[in-house]
Amino acid sequence: MTGIILVGAQWGDEGKGKATDLLGDRVDYVVKFNGGNNAGHTVVIGDEKYALHLLPSGILTPNVVPVIGNGVVVDVRVLFEELDSLISRGVDVSKLKVSGRAHVIAKYHRLLDNAMEDDPAKRKIGTTGRGIGPTYADKISRSGIRIADLFREDILREKVASALDSKNRILSRYGRSEVTVDEVIAEFEPYLERLKPMVVNVSDLLNTALDDGKTVLFEGGQATMLDIDFGTYPFVTSSNATAGGAITGSGVGPTKISSVVGIIKAYTTRVGEGPFPTELHLSRDVVDNLLNGREIPRVTNPQTDAEFGQFLLQEGGEFGVTTGRARRCGWYDAVVARWAAQVNGLTDFVLTKLDVLTGIDKIKVCVAYEINGVRYDSMPLDCVEFEDAVPVYEEYEGWMEDISTAREFDDLPTNAQKYVKRLEELSGCRISVIGVGADRDAIVEINRIV
Ligand code: GDP
Ligand code: IMO
Ligand code: MG
């Protein structure tokens, strides 16, 4: 019995897609358990680059059974667009299974997500605009539509009509056009015949597989600091992106899990609004250029905070896969890492993008916060305190050598080794894999996770 959970340890985009792809050859099933097409994973295989949103990254590995669990919210149109794009590139997607219990994103969810974000009376969250929050809100308020409902037309019409009764009133208050039952259903209809054979009881499927000695990897979308309970609420996504979400989002019990792996970057990024203590703010000019889609000059020997931020953005290619937004960049935050180790019960870290730090002479790491003159070694209680957190930094010597061909820990320059060892001491669990490039094989594997 081997269940392995893989979660993001920061604010997302840590390289979960690459890590899942890396482990793909060693597992039998890859299950997405939370989120929806708000996720964006880039996986590089040889000369091919794949951008995945709703599908589990395991779909790229032959022989793996990719599964969408009940904890996911599914935009049916997006599901088939993504599948068709992979089919056109020769990927075999025929093994995909989808939980009948997963909730469906409907047209009114997307419209509401965007209307709420544009509301000047509300604090902007910077959502991906994919309808994620409103769909989970309906799930919890017991007015959602599940995948299984799509195949029972009478029930579906009744549910959509009942939902629209209140949604249309809200949409008109926001000055948006109302939606009809037919419009909502028309979005699902073209896909139902193809969807039907994929729909299964995911809990039965996975428990039988585990009993038969198969290995199941649970792939989290988003990350610990975006988790609805443990993240920087309200600047979070609307699901449990932490390890508990793998249990409730798939129907597999916690006793079936043997390891929980946190994916963490060697620095930090965040997309959207919300507090970010170690953020390195870009200069006004660079922000203006980014907003206007203009090129920004390359920084080679960064010295100021603004230059460090720009360097990480460029060298790390930190532009969102889903919305194309420039990601906010900052130093590694060990308080966040310890929090992730704690709330997920992590057994291992995969430390990604160490190569991006090459070329910085002095690298900072946040080891604690100071809030109103008090030192915090662990996560403050809420976002109000967190907004005022001032990082307490340690500083380390960097390295200039290209590390992308390193495959053993000893291949890394001494300063890179010292940096990794210090992060391990600060972060609450062992670092088992180090990412040194975007390619599938650009890793240093210290301990085997599977
Ligand atoms: P995810 O959402 O956690 O799957 O991460 P994203 O795919 O959104 O962002 C991570 C990006 O970093 C992708 O473009 C990956 O190809 C890339 N990447 C992953 N690991 C490494 C690494 O170790 N080094 C470098 N340079 N790039 C990496
Ligand atoms: P992956 O899986 C980074 C952020 C959004 C916004 C907040 C809420 O690629 O790591 P939502 O649309 O979910 O209601 O938006 O969460 N967000 C992500 N940030 N990576 C992601 O996914 C994200 N998914 C959502 O930017 O701040
Ligand atoms: Mg991403």
Side-chain angles (χ1 to χ4, degrees):
M1 143 194 100
T2 313
I4 300 136
I5 300 176
L6 188 153
V7 289
Q10 297 159 315
W11 277 278
D13 305 322
E14 297 90 349
K16 298 177 291 291
K18 179 185 157 180
T20 302
D21 179 56
L22 166 76
L23 299 176
D25 284 338
R26 308 177 192 175
V27 304
D28 302 296
Y29 291 75
V30 173
V31 187
K32 180 173 165 108
F33 62 80
N34 76 304
N37 56 317
N38 48 347
H41 309 299
T42 304
V43 180
V44 182
I45 305 175
D47 294 334
E48 296 284 322
K49 192 167 168 178
Y50 298 89
L52 299 168
H53 298 282
L54 176 55
L55 292 168
S57 305
I59 196 139
L60 300 174
T61 317
N63 302 322
V64 158
V65 179
V67 181
I68 293 182
N70 57 280
V72 175
V73 286
V74 179
D75 189 322
V76 177
R77 201 182 41 162
V78 171
L79 173 69
F80 284 95
E81 277 169 11
E82 214 167 307
L83 283 173
D84 287 341
S85 141
L86 292 180
I87 292 169
S88 72
R89 296 176 70 179
V91 178
D92 172 16
V93 300
S94 62
K95 292 192 276 298
L96 179 70
K97 302 285 177 249
V98 179
S99 167
R101 290 183 163 83
H103 279 248
V104 174
I105 301 179
K107 182 171 184 178
Y108 50 85
H109 294 124
R110 293 194 302 272
L111 292 173
L112 283 170
D113 192 358
N114 288 303
M116 289 189 299
E117 278 288 281
D118 291 345
D119 182 354
K122 283 213 166 96
R123 252 181 115 169
K124 200 174 162 65
I125 303 293
T127 72
T128 57
R130 303 297 192 260
I132 306 295
T135 308
Y136 278 114
D138 277 3
K139 170 176 173 172
I140 300 302
S141 67
R142 298 169 296 207
S143 53
I145 299 165
R146 307 214 287 190
I147 290 281
D149 298 329
L150 299 179
F151 303 99
R152 301 186 190 107
E153 220 207 308
D154 45 341
I155 294 179
L156 178 63
R157 285 202 156 263
E158 207 180 295
K159 282 193 159 194
V160 173
S162 150
L164 285 180
D165 192 39
S166 60
K167 306 297 178 204
N168 275 335
R169 270 182 278 159
I170 306 173
L171 284 170
S172 6
R173 276 202 60 189
Y174 282 118
R176 309 281 163 136
S177 327
E178 297 197 356
V179 182
T180 65
V181 174
D182 286 341
E183 265 175 90
V184 173
I185 293 181
E187 270 195 5
F188 309 136
E189 260 166 357
Y191 306 109
L192 295 184
E193 211 178 295
R194 288 175 71 193
L195 179 61
K196 197 159 194 185
M198 300 174 185
V199 179
V200 297
N201 181 328
V202 164
S203 178
D204 285 355
L205 175 81
L206 297 178
N207 280 286
T208 307
L210 286 160
D211 289 346
D212 286 349
K214 302 279 196 251
T215 306
V216 179
L217 179 67
F218 298 86
E219 177 192 1
Q222 294 76 53
T224 305
M225 297 303 285
L226 289 172
D227 181 276
I228 187 79
D229 286 289
F230 299 110
T232 44
Y233 190 91
F235 301 100
V236 290
T237 192
S238 300
S239 65
N240 280 117
T242 42
I247 307 304
T248 55
S250 70
V252 170
T255 48
K256 305 278 168 76
I257 305 301
S258 54
S259 46
V260 185
V261 181
I263 315 302
I264 195 157
K265 272 186 219 190
Y267 52 97
T268 312
T269 62
R270 168 160 212 177
V271 197
E273 307 299 316
F276 176 5
T278 63
E279 181 168 13
L280 293 159
H281 294 276
L282 301 171
S283 71
R284 212 12 48 234
D285 285 356
V286 170
V287 172
D288 282 349
N289 284 338
L290 285 171
L291 286 175
N292 293 304
R294 287 193 290 265
E295 291 270 312
I296 50 172
R298 200 160 200 98
V299 174
T300 44
N301 179 20
Q303 296 299 328
T304 63
D305 278 3
E307 287 172 357
F308 289 128
Q310 192 174 335
F311 183 89
L312 294 174
L313 176 74
Q314 290 178 316
E315 298 305 310
E318 297 296 355
F319 294 88
V321 187
T322 299
T323 57
R325 290 178 287 183
R327 297 172 179 153
R328 299 155 65 192
C329 298
W331 299 119
Y332 187 90
D333 185 335
V335 185
V336 165
R338 290 195 288 272
W339 180 241
Q342 174 176 305
V343 301
N344 293 294
L346 296 183
T347 52
D348 303 85
F349 274 121
V350 172
L351 180 74
T352 62
K353 299 189 120 171
L354 185 66
D355 53 298
V356 174
L357 298 179
T358 302
I360 301 180
D361 343 310
K362 296 256 192 295
I363 306 170
K364 285 188 186 168
V365 169
C366 166
V367 296
Y369 305 133
E370 230 179 72
I371 304 173
N372 301 323
V374 179
R375 183 182 162 113
Y376 282 65
D377 288 289
S378 58
M379 196 52 69
L381 190 61
D382 65 21
C383 212
V384 179
E385 283 180 317
F386 198 63
E387 303 233 23
D388 293 329
V390 178
V392 176
Y393 284 119
E394 282 183 0
E395 198 172 66
Y396 312 102
E397 295 295 323
W399 58 92
M400 297 296 142
E401 300 90 329
D402 175 11
I403 61 167
S404 60
T405 53
R407 295 293 175 268
E408 303 284 334
F409 190 68
D410 288 342
D411 298 339
L412 295 172
T414 315
N415 285 346
Q417 293 187 18
K418 283 189 189 158
Y419 181 72
V420 172
K421 284 281 160 217
R422 184 64 186 138
L423 295 193
E424 190 168 68
E425 281 165 11
L426 290 168
S427 304
C429 87
R430 67 181 186 173
I431 293 174
S432 290
V433 180
I434 303 168
V436 291
D439 288 346
R440 198 178 230 186
D441 62 346
I443 54 156
V444 170
E445 190 166 12
I446 303 165
N447 307 300
R448 235 183 123 88
I449 297 167
V450 187

